[in-house]
Amino acid sequence: MNTAGHSEATVRRGLELTPFRGLRYDPDRVGSLAAVTSPPYDVVVRPDGLHHLQLADPHNIVRLILPQAGTPSASNEQAADTLRRWLAEGVLTTDPEPGLYIYEQSDGDGMLQRGIIGALRVSDPSEGVVLPHEDVIPPVVADRAALMRATSANLEPLLLTYRGNGSASDVVERTAEQPPLLSTTTEDGFHHRLWSVTDPADVSLVQSDLSQRQALIADGHHRWATYLRLRAEHPSPSPWDYGLVLLVDTVRYPLRVRAIHRLLHGLPVADALESLDGLFRVRHLEVPLPEAQAALADAASAGNAFLLAGDGAFHLIDRPDPDLLARTIPADRPAAWRTLDATVLHAALLDHVWGIPEDSPAHIAYIHDTAATVEKAQHDGGTAVLLHPVHEEVVRDLARQGVKMPRKSTSFGPKPASGLVLRALDL
């Protein structure tokens, strides 16, 4: 394990962001820009979310990022055929000249996020330029790689953060004062605007600033791992040396950090609780979800705590047995890692107490939406495990030490909407 870490000041080769000719929907060929967008492929917004998005517009981006044709190979070929057809029909059109794209999201309640979308040079973890903070699930990487090979496209950007407050952010804010290429409001109430930066002087300012920076993967570890795999498959130089990203300067625009919850298939809540006897304190809460989450936040401020749900109530578990932690938590990691809720959940509960493999879709699902996790557990007879979010500073500090958090430990947001700009690798 690499414990030396990477100081931002010692990065020799920083972020290399390159303009590209974006693929964008022709607003005259679709019902509305909002109707063709979706959340990122791995975000479940509701139990019927995929079907809902498919019905929103026949050209919704989910038909590319989550094709449904029975087998994985058939689905990927379907996505490739769909992309070729939309290009031929003019549903998707290529911007006339390469550019970087300024992307803005706001919610009307004071949240404002702006960042830069571009093609980022794919770098090895050893370079310390792009820092992952979570492990990945190999089958998911294989799935994303197969889709990218079939479509020869980056269909949605990763979300990366960096600490800048420099000339790149000045370009972002100056550009946002101009009329946008597109503006739309999605059904979740978020407003989205997009601009193109093609002026060579502005592009140079952005690239010069970013060349001194180091980024943290906020969302998209599997897609970054996919970029690495596909780059290795293609002799350099090639378009596969770069991948589509959104870079957000969190000095100017701090992100929100939320937890990613677990749905345990085939484990009834009663069985999950019975196995905790003597290992955790268990308190049963007959309260609505917001009050249960408040109780979780209070308990998490004093130590490891989780909410179990799925039987119509909430069960707060905390105060884990020190002997259990000593037996199950690896001792060769920093204290900040050993005390993470996700660490305790995976090492002590999933692996030792419940015997649930973390990388098996048949046993476990990772869901961002709290209410959807509870609803699915109640519908399926499983157990929802709700977590409290970790602070961004903890994530960044561990990443700089070269220490990865357990899989699906955090959810940074707001995430970029998929479908506003795509990157074709053969254009």
Side-chain angles (χ1 to χ4, degrees), residues 201-274:
D202 282 342
V203 171
S204 179
L205 281 173
V206 170
Q207 292 177 321
S208 177
D209 185 4
L210 294 179
S211 70
Q212 309 300 314
R213 309 298 181 186
Q214 177 186 57
L216 173 73
I217 300 177
D219 184 68
H221 284 81
H222 289 91
R223 280 166 283 168
W224 184 254
T226 299
Y227 291 167
L228 286 165
R229 174 180 292 194
L230 294 175
R231 183 195 63 171
E233 295 175 3
H234 296 81
S236 185
S238 83
W240 299 93
D241 292 340
Y242 297 83
L244 188 64
V245 304
L246 166 64
L247 278 162
V248 174
D249 178 0
T250 53
V251 175
R252 302 267 182 110
Y253 302 101
L255 272 69
R256 298 170 177 172
V257 186
R258 294 187 172 91
I260 301 176
H261 310 297
R262 276 63 169 162
L263 173 62
L264 309 182
H265 305 297
L267 178 66
V269 175
D271 293 349
L273 292 172
E274 182 179 5

Side-chain angles (χ1 to χ4, degrees), residues 254-304:
L255 272 69
R256 298 170 177 172
V257 186
R258 294 187 172 91
I260 301 176
H261 310 297
R262 276 63 169 162
L263 173 62
L264 309 182
H265 305 297
L267 178 66
V269 175
D271 293 349
L273 292 172
E274 182 179 5
S275 63
L276 298 179
D277 186 34
L279 300 178
F280 280 77
R281 180 176 70 167
V282 179
R283 287 178 282 171
H284 305 286
L285 308 176
E286 296 285 347
V287 298
L289 176 57
E291 293 182 29
Q293 289 179 291
L296 173 61
D298 288 341
S301 66
N304 300 117

Side-chain angles (χ1 to χ4, degrees), residues 45 53 60 91 119 123 133-134 137 158 243 249-250 255-256 260 263-264 304-306 322 340 354 394 398 415 424:
V45 292
L53 291 166
N60 190 283
V91 174
S123 56
H133 68 268
E134 292 181 0
I137 302 170
L158 286 71
D249 178 0
T250 53
L255 272 69
R256 298 170 177 172
I260 301 176
L263 173 62
L264 309 182
N304 300 117
F306 310 92
L340 289 170
W354 293 327
V394 174
L398 286 173
K415 305 179 190 305

Side-chain angles (χ1 to χ4, degrees), residues 14-353:
L15 301 166
E16 297 181 26
L17 197 66
T18 301
F20 69 103
R21 295 178 65 198
L23 289 182
R24 296 190 294 111
Y25 282 99
D26 181 343
D28 294 330
R29 302 298 301 272
V30 298
S32 73
L33 290 175
V36 296
T37 65
S38 85
Y41 80 96
D42 59 340
V43 177
V44 178
V45 292
R46 53 168 67 87
D48 63 341
L50 179 60
H51 182 64
H52 173 81
L53 291 166
Q54 289 173 331
L55 292 178
D57 189 284
H59 302 108
N60 190 283
I61 193 67
V62 294
R63 298 182 185 277
L64 298 182
I65 64 175
L66 285 173
Q68 305 290 307
T71 66
S73 60
S75 294
N76 293 333
E77 189 54 41
Q78 179 189 74
D81 290 342
T82 300
L83 178 58
R84 286 191 290 266
R85 185 175 72 254
W86 289 358
L87 287 167
E89 294 173 351
V91 174
L92 286 171
T93 61
T94 307
D95 281 338
E97 57 182 318
L100 301 175
Y101 294 84
I102 307 304
Y103 175 49
E104 175 189 279
Q105 296 180 83
S106 60
D107 64 359
D109 291 325
M111 191 288 298
L112 176 66
Q113 177 177 292
R114 291 173 178 155
I116 309 171
I117 296 176
L120 183 70
R121 183 182 69 87
V122 178
S123 56
D124 294 320
S126 61
E127 295 183 54
V129 174
V130 176
L131 304 178
H133 68 268
E134 292 181 0
D135 284 325
V136 296
I137 302 170
V140 177
V141 176
D143 173 75
R144 290 292 101 185
L147 178 62
M148 285 191 201
R149 284 192 207 98
T151 59
S152 191
N154 299 151
L155 301 172
E156 49 185 345
L158 286 71
L159 175 60
L160 305 182
T161 73
Y162 71 101
R163 307 289 290 174
N165 202 28
S167 58
S169 292
D170 293 338
V171 171
V172 168
E173 295 182 3
R174 186 170 66 251
T175 302
E177 296 174 355
Q178 306 301 316
L181 287 175
L182 65 84
S183 177
T184 189
T185 300
T186 45
E187 66 174 7
D188 57 7
F190 275 82
H191 310 295
H192 308 264
R193 297 199 296 170
L194 191 77
W195 297 261
S196 178
V197 177
T198 58
D199 179 77
D202 282 342
V203 171
S204 179
L205 281 173
V206 170
Q207 292 177 321
S208 177
D209 185 4
L210 294 179
S211 70
Q212 309 300 314
R213 309 298 181 186
Q214 177 186 57
L216 173 73
I217 300 177
D219 184 68
H221 284 81
H222 289 91
R223 280 166 283 168
W224 184 254
T226 299
Y227 291 167
L228 286 165
R229 174 180 292 194
L230 294 175
R231 183 195 63 171
E233 295 175 3
H234 296 81
S236 185
S238 83
W240 299 93
D241 292 340
Y242 297 83
L244 188 64
V245 304
L246 166 64
L247 278 162
V248 174
D249 178 0
T250 53
V251 175
R252 302 267 182 110
Y253 302 101
L255 272 69
R256 298 170 177 172
V257 186
R258 294 187 172 91
I260 301 176
H261 310 297
R262 276 63 169 162
L263 173 62
L264 309 182
H265 305 297
L267 178 66
V269 175
D271 293 349
L273 292 172
E274 182 179 5
S275 63
L276 298 179
D277 186 34
L279 300 178
F280 280 77
R281 180 176 70 167
V282 179
R283 287 178 282 171
H284 305 286
L285 308 176
E286 296 285 347
V287 298
L289 176 57
E291 293 182 29
Q293 289 179 291
L296 173 61
D298 288 341
S301 66
N304 300 117
F306 310 92
L307 275 178
L308 305 189
D311 61 351
F314 295 98
H315 311 274
L316 180 63
I317 66 171
D318 63 355
R319 298 185 183 179
D321 175 30
D323 290 338
L324 170 68
L325 301 184
R327 295 196 309 272
T328 59
I329 305 298
D332 62 342
R333 307 288 182 90
W337 181 90
R338 297 197 306 270
T339 55
L340 289 170
D341 286 337
T343 297
V344 173
L345 172 61
H346 282 255
L349 284 170
L350 293 180
D351 186 41
H352 183 78
V353 176

Side-chain angles (χ1 to χ4, degrees), residues 322-396:
D323 290 338
L324 170 68
L325 301 184
R327 295 196 309 272
T328 59
I329 305 298
D332 62 342
R333 307 288 182 90
W337 181 90
R338 297 197 306 270
T339 55
L340 289 170
D341 286 337
T343 297
V344 173
L345 172 61
H346 282 255
L349 284 170
L350 293 180
D351 186 41
H352 183 78
V353 176
W354 293 327
I356 294 176
E358 64 179 359
D359 58 354
S360 171
H363 294 87
I364 187 170
Y366 299 86
I367 305 177
H368 296 73
D369 185 87
T370 306
T373 311
V374 175
E375 183 178 342
K376 281 178 172 287
Q378 292 180 167
H379 180 269
D380 300 341
T383 295
V385 183
L386 308 182
L387 288 82
H388 187 67
V390 65
H391 293 294
E392 180 181 358
E393 294 78 9
V394 174
V395 178
R396 194 177 297 275

